[in-house]
Amino acid sequence: MELHDVWFVLIAVLWTGYFFLEGFDFGVGILTRLLARDRAEKRVLINTIGPVWDGNEVWLLTAGGATFAAFPEWYATLFSGFYLPLLVILVCLIVRGVAFEYRAKRPEENWQRNWETAIFWTSLIPAFLWGVAFGNIVRGVKIDAEFEYVGDVWDLLNPYALLGGLVTLTLFTFHGTVFTALKTVGEIRERARRLALRVGLVTAVSASAFLLWTQADNGDGASLVALAVAVASLVAALLANRAGREGWSFTLSGVTIVAAVAMLFLTLFPNVMPSTLDADWSLTVTNASSSPYTLKIMTWLAVIATPVVLLYQGWTYWVFRKRIGTQHIADPVH
C-alpha cells in the first residue's frame, strides 16, 4: 500500500472519529429544544457534553489539517467549491462555542434563552450541512481539467446531497438521544429513551434510502458489507434502547456511524472528489497527493502524536463518566 493510500485511510478514520464524537455532541445541542422542558433540564443536557465538546472538535481540525498536508489539491478544490456551506459551518461552530461559555455569565432570562437558542441552531445546521457536503463529495461535482470547481452553490443542493443532510441530522440526533439516556438519571432519562425510539425509526428510513442509493450508484462488495453492518447495528441500537441497555444502544449507534462513513469512503476510493463533467478530471489519491517525502514525515508525526491524543481524550471521558440529573444542578452564582 502506497503512502497516499495510507493517508486516505487515516483521513477517513479522522472523519469517522469526528462524526462519532461530534455526532452525539450536535445531537445533545438539538435536544435542548426537543427534550428539555425547563431551565434545569437544559443545564443537565449542556453539562453532559460540557467537559468534552471542545475536545471533540479537535478531530475536525486534525482532519482538515491532514487533508491540507496530504492532499493539497483535494483541500483547495473542496474549500473553494464548498466555500459557502463550509463558511456557514465554521460560523456555527464559533457561535456555538461562545454560547456554551457565555450562556451562564448573566442571570437574565432573555440572555440565557438567546444563547440556548444559538446552541440549538448551531448544532442543527452543521449536522445537516455535513451530510450535504459529504453527499456531494461521494456523488461528484463539476470539476474541470484544471481540477477547479466550476459549479455554483445551487449545484450542491441536489436530491442525493439533501438526503445525505437529512441522514446526518437524524442520525446525530438519535446518537445524542441515546447518549443523553446513558448520561442522565430521572425523568429526563426516560423521556430520552422514548424519544430515541421515534427518532431512530425516522433515521432508519432515511439512512437505508441514502445508503441503498449510494450502493446502487458506486457500490461494490466491501461497501455492501459496510451497508449491512450500518443497518443491522442501527436496528440493534433501537432494540437495546427499548430494553433499557443505554450503553449498548450508544455503542451500536456509534457503530452505525462508523459503518456508514466507512461505506462512503469505500465507494469514493480511489477518487477523493469525482468530476461529473469527465471522469479523467476527477481528483484521486494519486493526482491530489503531496510528495512521498511529505507523506513520510507526516506518517512519523502521526505515529508519535496520535496515541497521546487518544489517551488524553479517553482519560477525559473516564473522569466525567458519571450520570447527572436535575438534582446535581446547583443554583447559579453571579
Side-chain angles (χ1 to χ4, degrees), residues 4-5 8 71 74 137-140 143 218 264-276 278-288:
H4 50 67
D5 297 331
F8 179 86
F71 299 100
W74 184 11
I137 291 173
V138 173
R139 172 182 174 271
I143 299 175
N218 304 300
L264 295 183
F265 277 93
L266 285 169
T267 58
L268 186 61
F269 186 82
N271 295 319
V272 293
M273 281 191 78
S275 172
T276 57
D278 190 322
D280 293 335
W281 298 346
S282 298
L283 288 169
T284 68
V285 293
T286 303
N287 63 26

Side-chain angles (χ1 to χ4, degrees), residues 7 28 30 37 40 73 89 93 102 120 130 147 166 187 194 214 221 284 288 302:
W7 273 97
V28 171
I30 293 169
R37 290 180 175 174
E73 286 283 358
I89 290 173
L93 294 180
Y102 274 49
F120 170 77
W130 279 127
F147 301 136
L166 177 62
E187 184 184 353
R194 293 194 296 270
T214 305
T284 68

Side-chain angles (χ1 to χ4, degrees), residues 163 166-167 170 199-212 234 238:
L163 179 58
L166 177 62
V167 170
T170 56
V199 175
L201 293 175
V202 176
T203 303
V205 173
S206 60
S208 297
F210 179 73
L211 296 179
L212 287 171
L234 180 56
L238 285 168

